[in-house]
Amino acid sequence: MIVTGTSTNPAERPAAVRLRFAPSPTGYLHVGGARTALFNWLYARHLGGTFVLRIEDTDVARSSEESVQAILDGMRWLGLNWDEGPEVGGSFGPYFQMQRLDTYKEAANQLLNAGHAYHCFCTKEELDGLRAAAQEKGETFAYPGRCRNLLPDIVQKFCDEGRKPVIRFQVPTSGETVVDDLVHGPVTFRNDQFDDFVIMKADGGPTYNFAVVVDDALMQISHVLRGDDHLSNTPKQILIYQALGYVLPRFGHIPMILGSDRTRLSKRHGATSVMAYAEAGYLSDAFVNYLSRLGWGHGDQEIFTRQELIDFFDVPAINKTAAVFDPVKLDWVNAQWLKATPSAEIAGLLRSHLAKRGYPVEAKSDAWLAGLVDLLKERTKTLEEMTDYAKFFFDLELTYDAESVEKFLTEANRPIIEGLIAAFDAESDWTAERIEGAFKDLAAKLGLKAGGVIQPARVALAGSKVSPGMYETAELMGKELVLKRLRHALGLIPGAVES
Ligand code: GLU
């Protein structure tokens, strides 16, 4: 039977495509989480489905409101809008697991009544003892099912005594469970390798494997894309789906992201929160582009617009093997995006980077900043690098490159600097063309090639031999700052008294 509308009968196959991202709010949104979110978002958008954001906050000790906000901020920066979830609501809510405790209780009761689950009163000490005994025998600990067959009146008696049981799922002792994975194909697990795992804790909260099944089923999730590290959880979840009579979603386990040393990506590799990449001056489009390539590809194309990603993203093209996070490639992708993005758009973003660095940017117009971006975007890989580079365009104290000063700010070159001061002082039309004219006239007057005049000027204005085109640079710096720097340069000539 095909379900229409928002029926929440989980035993019926969802008609609609619904994907979800289900982070635990125990920290910021990191690169791995962002990539999982992106793949689910892309697939939902590709298929014209719904993208749900669900907050899995049942680990009360480690969850925080601050982390929820950090995750939402990260999602917003990436542009991964959600159709249902926090702040937007939806007809399958609530979207915070801690607001769904009654639902889990109800589902647990259903399993208890059907004989698929049981109360377990084993204490921590008893379990520790069993664990130690298993270790002694060189075996891995598995709960032996001691409370499986407690009679109902014993359970009642223990509860009346105030003992707080957990609820365990009764795993079939024979047979196999097959995860028909969209990425890996069928993966078979023997049921006897699982012990009777806990689904409800003694405090009444659900465990991850239980809550995720109840929620995915009731929220009619059609596809679950998540990291490979969850593959071993999936057979347990499938057993719960079957016991509850729920229809299975399609599962796809996406490859892990490794650092360049091929260990699991972590802070050690410099990969922290997604927002740290925003602060470091990566463009959202570029970061999303880079993330998409971690475990997915489309021919040998490297640069994708969001629309192309949505159009091309498909699950069969997801790799089975781990992806390696390569910061050099990320820089390259960002540089491509800087070049391709209109300067006016970048200028808006650059402004806040400059302001944060304390550059006097308030007085600068948007057009001036766009001009700055025009000059710098071919030479820099991130907005932070652009900010470093841009320093000499502002009336700030310059750091001079000693070698360049020694080579170009010499007594022999004094007439060049003095000549430029004289020419610029008299110039009322401050344009790159007029500035170019002044340089050429001076070169001719001194019997030099243009380059012979430009290099000393560059060191005087930018503090080193590196700058964009001199005429455009001088135009953007403005007459006042150019003259100030040239006069200051005279004082850098050895033996000179600063004027
Ligand atoms: N809250 C789980 C996690 O963050 C979700 C895993 C899943 O997608 O099922 O790992």
Side-chain angles (χ1 to χ4, degrees):
M1 171 185 180
I2 302 288
V3 179
T4 51
T6 55
S7 157
T8 51
N9 183 348
E12 293 173 346
R13 181 163 298 284
V17 169
R18 293 173 56 83
L19 288 98
R20 50 62 162 187
F21 176 51
S24 304
T26 56
Y28 43 67
L29 181 64
H30 53 78
V31 171
R35 196 272 312 251
T36 300
L38 174 63
F39 280 20
N40 281 283
W41 181 85
L42 283 175
Y43 205 42
R45 297 293 174 249
H46 177 78
L47 296 173
T50 301
F51 179 59
V52 178
L53 178 59
R54 181 175 72 230
I55 304 295
E56 302 208 327
D57 53 356
T58 56
D59 185 345
V60 178
R62 292 177 60 226
S63 297
S64 70
E65 175 53 31
E66 207 186 341
S67 295
V68 172
Q69 283 312 320
I71 291 167
L72 301 190
D73 286 348
M75 296 284 287
R76 276 190 280 256
W77 179 65
L78 294 168
L80 305 183
N81 60 321
W82 53 100
D83 307 308
E84 292 175 24
E87 296 179 359
V88 301
S91 34
F92 294 83
Y95 295 92
F96 287 80
Q97 287 191 325
M98 284 307 283
Q99 294 169 23
R100 304 174 59 83
L101 295 181
D102 288 345
T103 306
Y104 309 128
K105 203 177 281 172
E106 217 174 282
N109 282 334
Q110 190 185 326
L111 290 177
L112 286 168
N113 293 336
H116 288 299
Y118 58 89
H119 291 101
C120 168
F121 293 88
C122 292
T123 62
K124 184 177 176 305
E125 291 68 32
E126 285 168 319
L127 294 175
D128 286 348
L130 292 171
R131 195 171 285 117
Q135 253 165 17
E136 227 163 80
K137 283 193 253 165
E139 293 168 359
T140 37
F141 170 72
Y143 179 69
R146 285 199 338 183
C147 294
R148 248 188 193 199
N149 299 311
L150 290 183
L151 294 171
D153 40 342
I154 300 286
V155 170
Q156 193 56 52
K157 179 171 168 283
F158 285 168
C159 287
D160 291 346
E161 287 168 12
R163 291 170 67 174
K164 294 251 173 287
V166 300
I167 299 175
R168 288 184 185 271
F169 183 75
Q170 186 159 329
V171 177
T173 48
S174 62
E176 289 173 337
T177 298
V178 180
V179 179
D180 189 11
D181 195 85
L182 289 167
V183 178
H184 297 272
V187 186
T188 303
F189 295 84
R190 285 172 53 154
N191 291 336
D192 64 6
Q193 67 177 281
F194 305 120
D195 63 0
D196 290 349
F197 54 91
V198 175
I199 55 171
M200 291 292 272
K201 296 176 279 185
D203 64 6
T207 58
Y208 156 69
N209 274 323
F210 186 52
V212 79
V213 169
V214 173
D215 289 347
D216 283 342
L218 295 182
M219 294 182 181
Q220 298 201 358
I221 299 302
S222 58
H223 299 75
V224 171
L225 302 180
R226 61 185 169 205
D228 260 353
D229 50 341
H230 281 293
L231 182 57
S232 59
N233 284 320
T234 305
K236 296 185 189 177
Q237 295 176 15
I238 290 177
L239 289 169
I240 299 173
Y241 274 96
Q242 290 167 342
L244 285 167
Y246 292 167
V247 167
L248 288 179
R250 298 304 313 271
F251 292 101
H253 290 87
I254 58 185
M256 291 283 95
I257 306 173
L258 307 179
S260 46
D261 57 359
R262 302 201 71 82
T263 62
R264 199 178 162 156
L265 192 68
S266 71
K267 269 192 191 164
R268 249 176 327 118
H269 302 101
T272 53
S273 74
V274 158
M275 291 314 285
Y277 287 95
E279 279 155 30
Y282 292 89
L283 300 178
S284 165
D285 283 335
F287 199 73
V288 161
N289 184 160
Y290 180 71
L291 280 182
S292 75
R293 295 282 291 104
L294 292 173
W296 174 82
H298 182 73
D300 52 14
Q301 187 169 341
E302 290 292 356
I303 303 299
F304 297 87
T305 62
R306 264 167 219 267
Q307 194 54 50
E308 282 175 319
L309 288 176
I310 291 171
D311 291 345
F312 299 153
F313 187 83
D314 205 3
V315 167
I318 295 177
N319 302 330
K320 290 186 179 54
T321 51
V324 175
F325 189 87
D326 177 357
V328 176
K329 186 163 164 202
L330 170 61
D331 279 356
W332 178 81
V333 171
N334 205 55
Q336 305 310 306
W337 272 96
L338 283 178
K339 283 179 211 165
T341 306
S343 294
E345 216 174 286
I346 298 175
L349 299 169
L350 182 64
R351 186 182 281 284
S352 62
H353 286 261
L354 297 167
K356 216 165 167 186
R357 205 69 82 79
Y359 294 3
V361 72
E362 313 76 42
K364 303 293 190 190
S365 69
D366 291 343
W368 185 89
L369 274 174
L372 181 65
V373 173
D374 274 340
L375 290 188
L376 302 187
K377 67 190 210 173
E378 297 283 337
R379 309 157 196 267
T380 48
K381 297 189 288 291
T382 65
L383 294 173
E384 275 299 278
E385 220 179 281
M386 213 178 257
T387 302
D388 288 339
Y389 203 120
K391 189 175 175 195
F392 68 85
F393 284 90
F394 292 88
D395 190 3
L396 294 164
E397 204 176 309
L398 265 197
T399 323
Y400 290 84
D401 171 51
E403 206 181 298
S404 307
V405 169
E406 197 183 330
K407 186 156 175 214
F408 292 104
L409 298 185
T410 58
E411 197 52 47
N413 284 341
R414 177 185 291 276
I416 297 175
I417 306 292
E418 287 177 343
L420 286 175
I421 292 173
F424 290 161
D425 231 351
E427 183 58 70
S428 55
D429 186 13
W430 194 252
T431 61
E433 297 73 49
R434 300 286 299 180
I435 293 164
E436 181 176 357
F439 267 94
K440 290 198 167 144
D441 288 350
L442 182 67
K445 200 166 125 197
L446 298 175
L448 295 168
K449 287 195 181 134
V453 179
I454 284 174
Q455 277 307 59
R458 204 187 290 281
V459 176
L461 298 187
S464 78
K465 286 179 290 187
V466 191
S467 84
M470 191 73 284
Y471 315 134
E472 291 76 16
T473 295
E475 179 187 21
L476 207 64
M477 285 174 77
K479 178 172 165 177
E480 206 180 312
L481 182 58
V482 165
L483 284 170
K484 184 174 170 182
R485 289 262 165 83
L486 289 170
R487 292 194 174 111
H488 182 72
L490 286 177
L492 298 176
I493 295 174
V497 183
E498 196 173 343
S499 56

